[in-house]
Coordinates of all heavy atoms in Angstrom, one line a residue:
T639 N 0.8 -1.2 0.0 CA 0.0 0.0 0.0 C 0.9 1.2 0.0 O 2.1 1.2 0.3 CB -0.9 0.0 1.2 OG1 -0.1 0.1 2.4 CG2 -1.8 -1.2 1.3
T640 N 0.3 2.4 -0.3 CA 1.0 3.6 -0.3 C 1.3 4.2 1.1 O 1.9 5.2 1.2 CB 0.3 4.7 -1.2 OG1 -1.0 4.9 -0.6 CG2 0.1 4.2 -2.6
G641 N 0.7 3.6 2.1 CA 0.9 4.0 3.5 C 0.1 3.1 4.4 O -0.4 2.0 3.9
L642 N 0.0 3.5 5.7 CA -0.6 2.6 6.7 C -2.0 2.9 7.0 O -2.7 2.2 7.8 CB 0.3 2.5 7.9 CG 1.7 2.1 7.7 CD1 2.5 2.1 9.0 CD2 1.7 0.6 7.2
D643 N -2.5 4.1 6.6 CA -3.9 4.5 6.9 C -4.8 4.3 5.8 O -4.8 4.9 4.7 CB -3.8 6.1 7.2 CG -5.1 6.6 7.8 OD1 -6.1 5.9 7.6 OD2 -5.1 7.7 8.3
A644 N -5.8 3.4 6.0 CA -6.7 3.0 4.9 C -7.6 4.1 4.5 O -8.2 4.1 3.4 CB -7.5 1.8 5.4
R645 N -7.7 5.2 5.3 CA -8.6 6.3 5.0 C -7.9 7.3 4.0 O -8.5 8.0 3.3 CB -9.0 7.1 6.2 CG -9.9 6.3 7.2 CD -10.0 6.9 8.5 NE -8.7 7.0 9.2 CZ -8.6 7.5 10.4 NH1 -9.5 8.0 11.1 NH2 -7.3 7.5 11.0
R646 N -6.5 7.3 4.0 CA -5.8 8.2 3.2 C -4.8 7.6 2.2 O -4.4 8.2 1.2 CB -4.9 9.1 4.1 CG -5.6 9.9 5.2 CD -4.7 10.9 5.9 NE -3.7 10.2 6.7 CZ -2.4 10.2 6.4 NH1 -1.9 10.9 5.4 NH2 -1.5 9.6 7.2
H647 N -4.6 6.3 2.3 CA -3.7 5.6 1.4 C -4.4 4.6 0.6 O -5.6 4.3 0.8 CB -2.5 5.0 2.2 CG -1.8 6.0 3.0 ND1 -1.5 6.0 4.4 CD2 -1.1 7.2 2.6 CE1 -0.8 7.0 4.7 NE2 -0.6 7.8 3.7
A648 N -3.7 3.9 -0.3 CA -4.3 3.0 -1.3 C -3.5 1.8 -1.5 O -2.3 1.7 -1.3 CB -4.6 3.8 -2.6
I649 N -4.2 0.8 -2.1 CA -3.5 -0.5 -2.4 C -2.8 -0.3 -3.8 O -3.3 0.3 -4.7 CB -4.6 -1.6 -2.6 CG1 -5.3 -1.8 -1.3 CG2 -3.9 -2.9 -3.1 CD1 -6.6 -2.7 -1.4
V650 N -1.5 -0.9 -3.8 CA -0.8 -0.8 -5.1 C -0.5 -2.3 -5.7 O -0.3 -2.4 -6.9 CB 0.5 0.0 -5.1 CG1 0.2 1.4 -4.9 CG2 1.4 -0.5 -3.9
S651 N -0.6 -3.2 -4.8 CA -0.4 -4.6 -5.3 C -1.0 -5.6 -4.3 O -1.1 -5.3 -3.2 CB 1.1 -5.0 -5.5 OG 1.8 -5.0 -4.3
I652 N -1.4 -6.7 -4.9 CA -2.0 -7.8 -4.1 C -1.4 -9.2 -4.5 O -1.3 -9.5 -5.7 CB -3.6 -7.8 -4.3 CG1 -4.2 -6.4 -4.0 CG2 -4.2 -8.9 -3.5 CD1 -5.6 -6.4 -4.4
G653 N -1.1 -10.0 -3.5 CA -0.7 -11.3 -3.8 C -1.5 -12.3 -3.0 O -1.9 -12.1 -1.9
V654 N -1.9 -13.4 -3.6 CA -2.7 -14.5 -2.9 C -2.0 -15.9 -3.3 O -1.6 -16.1 -4.4 CB -4.2 -14.5 -3.4 CG1 -4.9 -13.2 -2.9 CG2 -4.4 -14.7 -4.8
V655 N -2.0 -16.7 -2.3 CA -1.4 -18.1 -2.4 C -2.3 -19.0 -1.7 O -2.4 -19.1 -0.5 CB 0.0 -18.1 -1.8 CG1 0.5 -19.6 -1.9 CG2 1.0 -17.2 -2.5
P656 N -3.1 -19.8 -2.4 CA -3.9 -20.9 -1.8 C -3.1 -22.0 -1.1 O -2.0 -22.3 -1.7 CB -4.7 -21.4 -2.9 CG -4.7 -20.4 -4.0 CD -3.4 -19.8 -3.9
F657 N -3.5 -22.5 0.0 CA -2.7 -23.5 0.7 C -3.6 -24.2 1.7 O -4.7 -23.8 2.1 CB -1.5 -22.9 1.3 CG -1.7 -22.1 2.6 CD1 -1.4 -22.6 3.8 CD2 -2.3 -20.9 2.6 CE1 -1.6 -21.9 5.0 CE2 -2.5 -20.2 3.7 CZ -2.2 -20.7 4.9
N658 N -3.1 -25.3 2.3 CA -3.6 -25.9 3.5 C -2.4 -26.3 4.3 O -1.3 -26.0 4.0 CB -4.5 -27.1 3.1 CG -3.9 -28.2 2.2 OD1 -2.7 -28.4 2.4 ND2 -4.7 -28.7 1.4
L659 N -2.6 -27.1 5.4 CA -1.5 -27.4 6.3 C -0.5 -28.4 5.6 O 0.6 -28.5 6.1 CB -2.0 -28.0 7.6 CG -2.7 -27.0 8.5 CD1 -2.9 -27.7 9.9 CD2 -1.9 -25.7 8.7
S660 N -1.0 -29.1 4.5 CA -0.1 -30.1 3.9 C 0.6 -29.6 2.7 O 1.6 -30.1 2.2 CB -1.0 -31.3 3.6 OG -1.5 -31.8 4.7
R661 N 0.0 -28.5 2.1 CA 0.5 -28.2 0.7 C 0.3 -26.7 0.4 O -0.8 -26.2 0.8 CB -0.2 -29.0 -0.3 CG 0.1 -28.7 -1.8 CD -0.7 -29.5 -2.7 NE -0.4 -29.3 -4.1 CZ -1.2 -29.6 -5.1 NH1 -2.3 -30.4 -4.9 NH2 -0.9 -29.3 -6.4
V662 N 1.3 -26.1 -0.2 CA 1.1 -24.7 -0.7 C 0.8 -24.8 -2.2 O 1.7 -25.4 -2.9 CB 2.4 -23.9 -0.4 CG1 2.3 -22.5 -1.1 CG2 2.6 -23.7 1.0
R663 N -0.2 -24.3 -2.7 CA -0.6 -24.4 -4.1 C 0.0 -23.3 -5.0 O -0.8 -22.4 -5.4 CB -2.1 -24.5 -4.2 CG -2.8 -25.6 -3.3 CD -4.3 -25.7 -3.5 NE -4.9 -26.6 -2.6 CZ -4.8 -28.0 -2.7 NH1 -4.3 -28.5 -3.7 NH2 -5.4 -28.7 -1.8
L664 N 1.2 -23.4 -5.2 CA 1.9 -22.3 -5.9 C 1.4 -22.2 -7.3 O 1.4 -21.1 -7.9 CB 3.4 -22.5 -5.9 CG 4.2 -22.0 -4.7 CD1 5.6 -22.3 -4.9 CD2 4.0 -20.5 -4.5
A665 N 0.9 -23.2 -7.9 CA 0.4 -23.1 -9.3 C -0.8 -22.3 -9.4 O -1.2 -21.8 -10.4 CB 0.1 -24.5 -9.8
E666 N -1.5 -22.1 -8.2 CA -2.7 -21.3 -8.2 C -2.5 -19.9 -7.7 O -3.5 -19.1 -7.4 CB -3.8 -22.0 -7.4 CG -4.2 -23.4 -7.9 CD -5.2 -24.1 -7.0 OE1 -6.0 -23.4 -6.3 OE2 -5.1 -25.3 -6.9
R667 N -1.3 -19.5 -7.5 CA -0.9 -18.1 -7.0 C -1.4 -17.1 -8.0 O -1.5 -17.3 -9.1 CB 0.6 -18.0 -6.7 CG 1.4 -18.0 -8.0 CD 2.8 -18.1 -7.7 NE 3.7 -18.1 -8.9 CZ 3.9 -19.1 -9.7 NH1 3.4 -20.3 -9.5 NH2 4.7 -19.0 -10.8
R668 N -1.7 -15.9 -7.4 CA -2.1 -14.8 -8.3 C -1.4 -13.5 -7.7 O -1.2 -13.4 -6.5 CB -3.6 -14.6 -8.3 CG -4.4 -15.7 -8.8 CD -4.1 -16.0 -10.2 NE -4.3 -14.9 -11.2 CZ -5.5 -14.6 -11.8 NH1 -6.6 -15.4 -11.5 NH2 -5.6 -13.6 -12.6
Y669 N -1.1 -12.6 -8.6 CA -0.5 -11.3 -8.3 C -1.0 -10.2 -9.2 O -1.0 -10.4 -10.4 CB 1.1 -11.5 -8.4 CG 1.8 -10.2 -8.1 CD1 1.9 -9.6 -6.8 CD2 2.4 -9.5 -9.2 CE1 2.6 -8.5 -6.6 CE2 3.1 -8.3 -9.0 CZ 3.2 -7.8 -7.7 OH 3.9 -6.7 -7.5
W670 N -1.3 -9.1 -8.6 CA -1.8 -8.0 -9.4 C -1.1 -6.7 -8.9 O -1.0 -6.5 -7.7 CB -3.3 -7.8 -9.3 CG -4.1 -9.0 -9.7 CD1 -4.6 -9.2 -10.9 CD2 -4.6 -10.0 -8.7 NE1 -5.4 -10.4 -10.9 CE2 -5.4 -10.9 -9.5 CE3 -4.5 -10.2 -7.4 CZ2 -6.0 -12.0 -9.0 CZ3 -5.1 -11.3 -6.8 CH2 -5.9 -12.2 -7.7
V671 N -0.7 -5.9 -9.8 CA -0.4 -4.5 -9.5 C -1.6 -3.7 -9.9 O -2.2 -3.9 -11.0 CB 0.8 -3.9 -10.3 CG1 1.0 -2.4 -10.1 CG2 2.1 -4.7 -9.9
V672 N -2.1 -2.8 -9.1 CA -3.3 -2.0 -9.4 C -3.0 -0.5 -9.3 O -2.1 -0.1 -8.6 CB -4.5 -2.4 -8.4 CG1 -4.9 -3.8 -8.6 CG2 -4.1 -2.1 -7.0
R673 N -3.8 0.3 -10.0 CA -3.5 1.7 -10.0 C -4.2 2.5 -8.8 O -5.5 2.4 -8.7 CB -4.1 2.3 -11.4 CG -3.7 3.8 -11.5 CD -4.1 4.2 -12.9 NE -5.6 4.2 -13.1 CZ -6.2 3.3 -13.9 NH1 -5.5 2.4 -14.6 NH2 -7.5 3.4 -14.0
P674 N -3.5 3.1 -8.0 CA -4.1 3.9 -6.9 C -4.7 5.1 -7.4 O -4.4 5.6 -8.5 CB -2.9 4.2 -6.0 CG -1.7 4.2 -6.8 CD -2.0 3.2 -7.9
P675 N -5.7 5.7 -6.6 CA -6.4 6.9 -7.1 C -5.6 8.2 -7.1 O -5.9 9.1 -7.7 CB -7.6 7.0 -6.2 CG -7.2 6.2 -5.0 CD -6.3 5.1 -5.4
R676 N -4.5 8.1 -6.3 CA -3.6 9.3 -6.2 C -2.2 8.9 -6.6 O -1.8 7.7 -6.4 CB -3.6 9.8 -4.7 CG -4.9 10.4 -4.4 CD -4.9 10.9 -2.9 NE -4.9 9.7 -2.0 CZ -6.0 9.0 -1.7 NH1 -7.1 9.3 -2.2 NH2 -5.9 8.0 -0.8
P677 N -1.4 9.9 -7.1 CA 0.0 9.5 -7.4 C 0.8 8.9 -6.3 O 0.6 9.2 -5.1 CB 0.6 10.9 -7.9 CG -0.6 11.7 -8.2 CD -1.7 11.3 -7.3
L678 N 1.8 8.1 -6.7 CA 2.7 7.5 -5.7 C 3.7 8.6 -5.2 O 4.1 9.5 -5.9 CB 3.5 6.4 -6.3 CG 2.8 5.2 -6.8 CD1 3.7 4.2 -7.6 CD2 2.1 4.5 -5.7
S679 N 4.0 8.5 -3.9 CA 5.0 9.4 -3.3 C 6.4 8.7 -3.5 O 6.5 7.4 -3.7 CB 4.8 9.6 -1.8 OG 4.9 8.3 -1.1
S680 N 7.5 9.4 -3.4 CA 8.8 8.8 -3.6 C 9.1 7.9 -2.5 O 9.7 6.8 -2.7 CB 9.9 9.9 -3.7 OG 9.8 10.7 -2.5
Q681 N 8.6 8.2 -1.3 CA 8.7 7.3 -0.1 C 8.1 5.9 -0.4 O 8.6 4.8 -0.1 CB 8.2 7.9 1.1 CG 8.4 7.1 2.4 CD 7.8 7.7 3.6 OE1 7.0 8.6 3.5 NE2 8.3 7.3 4.8
S682 N 6.9 6.0 -1.0 CA 6.1 4.8 -1.3 C 6.9 3.9 -2.3 O 7.0 2.7 -2.1 CB 4.7 5.1 -1.9 OG 4.0 4.0 -2.2
V683 N 7.4 4.5 -3.3 CA 8.2 3.8 -4.4 C 9.4 3.1 -3.8 O 9.7 2.0 -4.1 CB 8.6 4.7 -5.5 CG1 9.5 4.0 -6.5 CG2 7.3 5.2 -6.3
T684 N 10.1 3.8 -2.9 CA 11.3 3.3 -2.3 C 10.9 2.1 -1.4 O 11.7 1.1 -1.3 CB 11.9 4.4 -1.4 OG1 12.3 5.5 -2.2 CG2 13.2 3.8 -0.7
F685 N 9.8 2.1 -0.8 CA 9.4 1.0 0.1 C 9.0 -0.2 -0.6 O 9.5 -1.3 -0.3 CB 8.2 1.5 1.0 CG 7.9 0.6 2.1 CD1 8.7 0.5 3.3 CD2 6.7 -0.2 2.1 CE1 8.4 -0.4 4.3 CE2 6.4 -1.0 3.1 CZ 7.3 -1.2 4.3
H686 N 8.1 -0.2 -1.6 CA 7.6 -1.4 -2.3 C 8.2 -1.6 -3.7 O 7.9 -2.6 -4.3 CB 6.1 -1.5 -2.3 CG 5.4 -0.2 -2.8 ND1 5.6 0.3 -4.1 CD2 4.6 0.6 -2.2 CE1 5.0 1.4 -4.2 NE2 4.2 1.6 -3.1

């Protein structure tokens, strides 16, 4: 995310990995970069 406050900041990427206690299903993993409603700050880019 672009910061830690959900009221002021936004999501920039999401990763999901299905699994259970016996197996991690890496073949079903998904990853997305998404466009936030406001421009990224330089601090945000440095972090993620």
